[in-house]
Amino acid sequence: QLRDGIRLALIDDIRFASPGTMVEISVTATPSEILVSALTGAPRSANGTLMLAERILAAQGARLELGDGRSTIAIPRVPTG
């Protein structure tokens, strides 16, 4: 289900990106989270697809953050050892 939430959010980012812009997707890791970010150049607002993605992600312990022209999915890292 985590994969479904990520896929929904990224598809929505691509669908609503500013025309003619490239969507930049990056993945970074911190000690506590893995961050999947999409830079779209378009301000975002909640819609049905994003609300569904947010619920799916939250059920897996992740969260969806929307900023000015960027969305970020924060996935908690599983402790090892």
Side-chain angles (χ1 to χ4, degrees):
Q1 290 208 1
L2 181 60
R3 179 177 32 200
D4 292 335
I6 294 168
R7 182 179 53 80
L8 280 172
L10 293 178
I11 286 171
D12 200 67
D13 286 332
I14 293 166
R15 181 181 302 136
F16 291 103
S18 297
T21 61
M22 180 185 295
V23 175
E24 180 182 325
I25 298 172
S26 62
V27 179
T28 56
T30 70
S32 61
E33 297 178 312
I34 297 170
L35 304 171
V36 180
S37 296
L39 181 61
T40 63
R44 302 304 311 276
S45 59
N47 60 46
T49 303
L50 283 180
M51 289 172 39
L52 178 59
E54 187 172 37
R55 289 184 68 181
I56 292 171
L57 292 167
Q60 301 300 314
R63 67 184 186 282
L64 177 62
E65 301 170 351
L66 300 176
D68 190 29
R70 175 184 300 272
S71 65
T72 301
I73 299 164
I75 306 160
R77 294 183 79 164
V78 177
T80 58

